[in-house]
Amino acid sequence: MADTQRSSTGTTDTNEVSAGRQLVLDTAARLFRAEGYAGTSLRDIAGEAGMRAASLYHYFDSKDAIVGEVLRIGVEQVFDKVRAAVEALPPEADAQVLLQTAVHTHLQGMHGLQDYTCANLRIFGQVPAHVREAHLPTRDAYERYWVQVLARCARQGGFDHQRDLRLARLFLFAAMNGTLDWFQGGAVSLKAVADEMTELVLQGLRQRPSKENPAP
Amino acid sequence: MADTQRSSTGTTDTNEVSAGRQLVLDTAARLFRAEGYAGTSLRDIAGEAGMRAASLYHYFDSKDAIVGEVLRIGVEQVFDKVRAAVEALPPEADAQVLLQTAVHTHLQGMHGLQDYTCANLRIFGQVPAHVREAHLPTRDAYERYWVQVLARCARQGGFDHQRDLRLARLFLFAAMNGTLDWFQGGAVSLKAVADEMTELVLQGLRQRPSKENPAP
DNA sequence: GTCTATAATATGATAGAC
DNA sequence: GTCTATCATATTATAGAC
């Protein structure tokens, strides 16, 4: 079975994970993103990586092993960055700083690893069932982490009831992930987008004037 | 060339568009949504529709003609409903009613035609280039309509500068379309989701307290 | 680590009978 | 309007040489 772990399986160097393997993954991610799962053949991946289809089997057991790795990397690398950034904050950081940091880091992570994250969002629903099921725990773990982040925001008070928190999380995730479809690094920066999103969600979560008692 | 129009090309009845053709489209939309463009073969579509692959060519010229129709229907049917609902409003309707109506109708349209709208969002990026380019004007027209709707909201005053309006539209679209990934018709109704989204966006667009001058 | 060759199967599309 | 039969090509995966 081809090497399926990430941790230091160095060939000659200390923790080099094999340049060939990395090239195959990068190429696969780019093609899966653009052509979909079934639309990307092993010949396509091999061709763009400068080798023949049979050579891919030196690095991976099957097409599904490749796509499984692409899916995993797309989530875990963003997760790692967001967790590191949030843990680097002081315990007394307020809701705005906390959410700004998490959102900005999530956006940076996604756009820095575009082919993987975009491929993940686009092909997750069309990958063979056993690949999707094997990947689900990775997605769920990241989602649960965001539940924690928003709960930590809510602990600082001034928020509405529980239901708003779930909806706010779903809106926020959709808005963040949606940036992959339009953000090109033009006039507004990723940081500005993150701050706008944070503001929107925090405003939405605070107690608001009702219809019967509108704002002035 | 197979019939590519939608308007009354009745076989025997007045404006019946051929039950066979409709069955093919419905089946194709469902499969494209679940398996992607390349992952859905003509044999798959035909099999689920109770016929043989060759019979599909009685209704359509090619696979691309089928996918083009699925894409078009996914946008146009929602567009038609949203426009009708907005035009039915009195001219003096305020920003909240206007946006609530547009958002709720968009959500209803999407979820009523799930296979088409979801297929559209999922496979648009992986369809052959000429199919995508042919479909683009349809998408653009709907997007421009939403620019108008938000501009009409903004005309009622109290909003910030132009940039916020574009970001708000992009956030809103991502959040609305994202409901297809999680909404199951459980505890909250689609109307409740629409109202929450509307509130969030309107709060975000109104002049807000800055960091230097925070809310009480 | 990469190749050629090949097996077994699936694909979009067409021809032509009924 | 649906079928069977078929063409030309593409697919994942394996065997085995270098």
Side-chain angles (χ1 to χ4, degrees):
Chain A
M1 166 143 139
D3 174 23
T4 229
Q5 307 293 339
R6 289 187 61 241
S7 48
S8 52
T9 333
T11 40
T12 56
D13 217 23
T14 33
N15 58 354
E16 198 46 30
V17 204
S18 154
R21 188 187 145 94
Q22 193 62 50
L23 174 62
V24 169
L25 285 173
D26 288 350
T27 309
R30 179 162 49 83
L31 291 177
F32 283 138
R33 173 189 182 177
E35 313 285 347
Y37 170 75
T40 301
S41 73
L42 295 182
R43 278 172 177 75
D44 293 338
I45 298 172
E48 300 259 312
M51 57 180 82
R52 302 293 194 157
S55 305
L56 297 175
Y57 288 86
H58 175 71
Y59 301 105
F60 298 95
D61 284 346
S62 64
K63 182 179 183 178
D64 290 350
I66 299 179
V67 83
E69 267 294 274
V70 169
L71 291 177
R72 188 187 62 76
I73 291 170
V75 175
E76 283 192 0
Q77 303 232 347
V78 176
F79 191 175
D80 288 350
K81 281 177 189 165
V82 171
R83 182 161 39 197
V86 167
E87 282 177 1
L89 290 173
E92 70 274 17
D94 69 5
Q96 191 183 30
V97 167
L98 174 56
L99 203 54
Q100 273 178 348
T101 302
V103 170
H104 186 208
T105 312
H106 178 90
L107 291 184
Q108 274 186 314
M110 291 195 88
H111 287 264
L113 215 70
Q114 278 205 51
D115 289 338
Y116 289 86
T117 50
C118 203
N120 187 301
L121 292 171
R122 289 192 181 174
I123 72 178
F124 175 74
Q126 53 192 233
V127 117
H130 75 272
V131 175
R132 186 167 48 249
E133 278 150 27
H135 175 64
L136 247 179
T138 305
R139 278 198 163 204
D140 286 348
Y142 189 45
E143 194 179 353
R144 279 197 305 275
Y145 184 75
W146 273 88
V147 172
Q148 284 179 41
V149 169
L150 286 173
R152 186 169 153 193
C153 288
R155 231 175 287 133
Q156 306 193 339
F159 283 11
D160 246 339
H161 32 294
Q162 180 75 22
R163 204 204 64 198
D164 288 338
L165 214 57
R166 177 173 169 266
L167 274 189
R169 193 187 80 241
L170 292 165
F171 292 172
L172 179 60
F173 243 86
M176 289 193 299
N177 294 344
T179 61
L180 285 172
D181 286 332
W182 57 264
F183 184 80
Q184 304 280 9
V188 285
S189 70
L190 218 48
K191 172 66 174 155
V193 173
D195 290 352
E196 280 282 338
M197 271 183 186
T198 303
E199 207 71 20
L200 211 73
V201 168
L202 286 182
Q203 287 285 348
L205 282 173
R206 285 193 239 280
Q207 277 134 7
R208 317 188 271 264
S210 64
K211 278 176 207 167
E212 293 77 25
N213 180 23
Chain B
M1 171 145 133
D3 175 22
T4 227
Q5 306 294 338
R6 288 188 62 241
S7 48
S8 52
T9 333
T11 39
T12 55
D13 218 23
T14 34
N15 57 355
E16 198 47 32
V17 205
S18 153
R21 187 186 145 94
Q22 192 62 49
L23 174 62
V24 169
L25 285 172
D26 288 350
T27 309
R30 180 163 48 81
L31 291 176
F32 282 137
R33 172 190 183 177
E35 313 285 347
Y37 170 75
T40 300
S41 73
L42 294 181
R43 280 171 178 76
D44 292 338
I45 297 172
E48 300 259 311
M51 56 180 82
R52 301 294 194 155
S55 306
L56 297 176
Y57 288 86
H58 174 72
Y59 301 106
F60 298 95
D61 284 346
S62 64
K63 184 181 183 179
D64 290 349
I66 298 179
V67 83
E69 267 293 275
V70 169
L71 291 177
R72 188 185 63 76
I73 290 169
V75 175
E76 283 193 359
Q77 303 232 346
V78 176
F79 192 175
D80 288 350
K81 281 177 187 162
V82 171
R83 183 161 37 197
V86 168
E87 282 177 359
L89 291 173
E92 70 275 17
D94 69 6
Q96 190 182 33
V97 167
L98 174 56
L99 203 52
Q100 274 179 347
T101 302
V103 170
H104 186 208
T105 312
H106 178 90
L107 291 184
Q108 275 186 313
M110 291 196 88
H111 287 264
L113 215 67
Q114 280 205 50
D115 290 336
Y116 289 87
T117 52
C118 203
N120 187 300
L121 292 171
R122 289 192 182 175
I123 72 177
F124 175 73
Q126 54 193 231
V127 117
H130 75 271
V131 175
R132 186 167 48 250
E133 280 150 26
H135 175 63
L136 247 180
T138 305
R139 278 198 163 202
D140 286 347
Y142 189 44
E143 195 179 351
R144 279 197 305 276
Y145 185 76
W146 274 88
V147 172
Q148 283 178 42
V149 168
L150 286 173
R152 184 169 155 192
C153 288
R155 231 175 285 136
Q156 307 193 339
F159 282 11
D160 245 337
H161 31 292
Q162 180 76 20
R163 206 203 62 198
D164 288 337
L165 213 58
R166 177 172 168 266
L167 274 188
R169 193 187 79 240
L170 292 165
F171 291 173
L172 180 59
F173 244 86
M176 289 194 298
N177 294 344
T179 62
L180 285 172
D181 286 331
W182 58 264
F183 184 81
Q184 304 280 9
V188 284
S189 69
L190 218 47
K191 172 66 174 154
V193 173
D195 290 352
E196 280 282 338
M197 273 183 186
T198 303
E199 208 70 21
L200 211 72
V201 169
L202 286 181
Q203 288 285 346
L205 282 174
R206 283 192 242 280
Q207 277 135 8
R208 319 188 270 262
S210 64
K211 278 174 203 167
E212 294 77 27
N213 180 23

